[in-house]
Amino acid sequence: MPCKRCKSNPVIQLPNSNIKLCKSCFIKYFERKVLNTIRKYNLINHKENIISALSGGKDSLSLLYLLNKIASKKLDFKLSALLVDEGIKGYRDKTIKTAREFCEKNNIKLHITSYSEVTGKTLDKIKKQFPDTIACSMCGVLRRYLLNKKSRELKANKLATGHNLDDEAQSIMMNQFRHNIALSARLGPITGVKRDKRFVPRIKPFYFLTEKEVATYAFINGLMDEFNECTYCTESNRFVVRDMLNSLEQKYPGTKHSIVASFLEVLPLLKEKYKNQKINSCKICSEPASSEVCNACNLLQRIRQ
Amino acid sequence: MPAVYLEREDKMIKVNELNVKDILKKLNINPTTVIIARNNELITEDAVLSENDKIKILPVISGG
């Protein structure tokens, strides 16, 4: 069956639908969907300083590519990229090379920070120090800490991430499974429960696009590098939830869209419920914290012992 | 027989099936987790291959 719009050869059958689109019609569909998300949720405003989190993988490259495309044409904002080098040999070193080349070619300023900078150690070394701790849990704490701190130092209005519909559905379910609803209140196309100058809001322009749609966009635009998997990914609870949701999606198409759509209906209630929750300042680094000392400083203290 | 390159496993195999959907089923691959390319152009799961076609099955998941 040909492309629904122009009858050319299709490159994708849209998720949860019988509609097939060719290369050029899919690009239009994809970019329109991103622009609609940006406008509907007020993700980017005129003249804002937007920093795009970049790993060098297909999601973050596609996001930076598209934001760069619309930064000067459709919306008027300042754009640069921020990469966190965790120090994972054989994985991150490859994607950093891709990220650097992409930014150079497209004349985008690339800021790089690393775990070594703040801990004196790479993630590989930290994992050796704590072999029984899941690498992803330590990595997540450090990455969130660094992305927020660096974005704020760079005076960013927003930090854009390549999170897609699959990622959001996984986060929602993981929070449900762990009875962590306060964390879910921070999710959505723009993160945070209330504005706080210590937090740079994170925006997710790919919020309503599936991982398959993002991969299709990346492939068409030559942004898909050879498959490269993080050394520690099998330790992650997220990957178990991801596989479970993919199995459900295959059996019951539309599952992931339904999870996210249902969540968006209750999200305003969650934000209202948690809006008065106090955000402390970490007594060590002054970064936002849920207790006296933030998770990053707790981890840093353990690493330095 | 069409040739199938599995990027995640980095291996090439030959299959008897000509229908992409049947190939994915035979290889126990969930179609929502991959994109498929023939001659560097993406094709959908209902595409029918020729005997001498070579396709690539690329995982869509993020690596980390």
Side-chain angles (χ1 to χ4, degrees):
Chain A
M1 203 195 292
C3 171
K4 186 180 186 265
R5 294 181 187 165
C6 72
K7 311 297 175 205
S8 305
N9 285 336
V11 294
I12 189 169
Q13 177 166 340
L14 297 182
N16 193 25
S17 127
N18 287 324
I19 296 173
K20 289 181 188 151
L21 295 177
C22 71
K23 201 189 282 189
S24 62
C25 291
F26 174 72
I27 290 174
K28 280 182 204 153
Y29 152 88
F30 187 98
E31 295 183 350
R32 194 175 303 131
K33 209 160 177 179
V34 171
L35 274 172
N36 287 344
T37 304
I38 290 173
R39 288 183 179 131
K40 182 173 179 185
Y41 293 94
N42 208 17
L43 301 188
I44 300 174
N45 295 305
H46 190 62
K47 298 285 180 201
E48 277 191 332
N49 179 16
I50 304 296
I51 291 186
S52 199
L54 180 65
S55 68
K58 67 166 198 326
D59 299 318
S60 63
L61 276 177
S62 297
L63 179 64
L64 187 58
Y65 170 85
L66 181 48
L67 288 179
N68 192 40
K69 195 170 169 180
I70 61 177
S72 51
K73 288 180 189 165
K74 307 236 175 190
L75 302 164
D76 183 17
F77 59 91
K78 189 183 161 202
L79 178 68
S80 60
L82 173 60
L83 186 148
V84 177
D85 179 5
E86 303 93 342
I88 306 170
K89 206 175 173 195
Y91 172 64
R92 186 56 76 219
D93 37 4
K94 286 184 192 169
T95 64
I96 289 176
K97 187 172 175 280
T98 309
R100 276 187 197 278
E101 285 168 2
F102 179 85
C103 288
E104 261 175 41
K105 189 179 160 197
N106 292 282
N107 203 19
I108 298 167
K109 171 83 181 157
L110 173 63
H111 312 277
I112 298 184
T113 182
S114 69
Y115 289 2
S116 299
E117 231 173 76
V118 285
T119 67
K121 291 176 185 170
T122 60
L123 183 65
D124 289 337
K125 283 191 180 159
I126 298 170
K127 176 64 187 172
K128 272 189 191 149
Q129 191 180 348
F130 304 105
D132 298 329
T133 309
I134 292 173
C136 306
S137 63
M138 299 186 284
C139 189
V141 167
L142 290 174
R143 194 190 301 123
R144 278 190 297 274
Y145 168 81
L146 273 176
L147 283 174
N148 188 59
K149 189 167 178 282
K150 288 287 167 186
S151 307
R152 205 184 52 229
E153 285 169 6
L154 292 164
K155 303 194 184 323
N157 296 102
K158 313 269 173 58
L159 173 71
T161 67
H163 286 101
N164 54 48
L165 185 119
D166 290 51
D167 298 319
E168 189 77 352
Q170 289 156 19
S171 299
I172 294 163
M173 294 316 295
M174 284 164 70
N175 290 340
Q176 289 284 332
F177 292 155
R178 293 170 175 164
H179 190 199
N180 220 340
I181 301 306
L183 271 186
S184 280
R186 299 182 200 165
L187 295 175
I190 180 160
T191 62
V193 175
K194 59 180 176 184
R195 283 297 172 97
D196 183 312
K197 63 180 179 187
R198 293 169 294 174
F199 279 122
V200 177
R202 293 180 191 202
I203 55 170
K204 303 170 191 168
F206 290 169
Y207 194 84
F208 294 103
L209 289 153
T210 62
E211 189 136 47
K212 182 160 177 156
E213 289 173 304
V214 177
T216 301
Y217 185 79
F219 184 93
I220 290 171
N221 288 295
L223 303 169
M224 198 120 156
D225 224 346
E226 63 183 52
F227 185 68
N228 186 11
E229 205 160 35
C230 174
T231 323
Y232 306 111
C233 75
T234 49
E235 296 180 11
S236 164
N237 174 251
R238 175 174 289 274
F239 281 51
V240 176
V241 175
R242 179 195 71 192
D243 291 344
M244 180 197 81
L245 290 180
N246 282 337
S247 299
L248 281 171
E249 183 70 34
Q250 187 182 12
K251 205 167 177 186
Y252 309 109
T255 298
K256 291 180 218 170
H257 281 87
S258 297
I259 290 170
V260 172
S262 307
F263 173 71
L264 283 176
E265 280 193 36
V266 296
L267 184 58
L269 302 174
L270 291 181
K271 289 200 188 288
E272 181 64 26
K273 178 176 162 70
Y274 290 101
K275 73 177 182 190
N276 294 323
Q277 203 172 40
K278 195 179 168 218
I279 303 166
N280 298 314
S281 284
C282 170
K283 69 175 185 185
I284 298 172
C285 70
S286 307
E287 286 292 306
S290 50
S291 47
E292 271 199 343
V293 177
C294 73
N295 289 337
C297 282
N298 266 324
L299 180 59
L300 287 172
Q301 284 176 333
R302 287 174 58 210
I303 291 169
R304 285 167 187 155
Q305 271 169 12
Chain B
M1 287 164 81
V4 178
Y5 173 67
L6 300 161
E7 198 198 33
R8 196 171 187 185
E9 292 80 8
D10 189 23
K11 75 175 181 192
M12 183 75 93
I13 55 165
K14 289 269 187 182
V15 291
N16 292 317
E17 292 78 3
L18 293 176
N19 206 314
V20 173
K21 206 173 266 177
D22 294 339
I23 295 171
L24 294 179
K25 200 171 176 184
K26 181 184 179 172
L27 299 173
N28 201 20
I29 294 172
N30 181 340
T32 66
T33 65
V34 292
I35 52 175
I36 301 127
R38 176 176 56 189
N39 301 327
N40 218 26
E41 291 286 341
L42 292 180
I43 53 173
T44 49
E45 288 99 58
D46 64 351
V48 179
L49 307 179
S50 305
E51 285 287 343
N52 296 323
D53 271 346
K54 288 177 188 165
I55 61 167
K56 278 184 184 175
I57 298 183
L58 311 163
V60 303
I61 53 164
S62 303

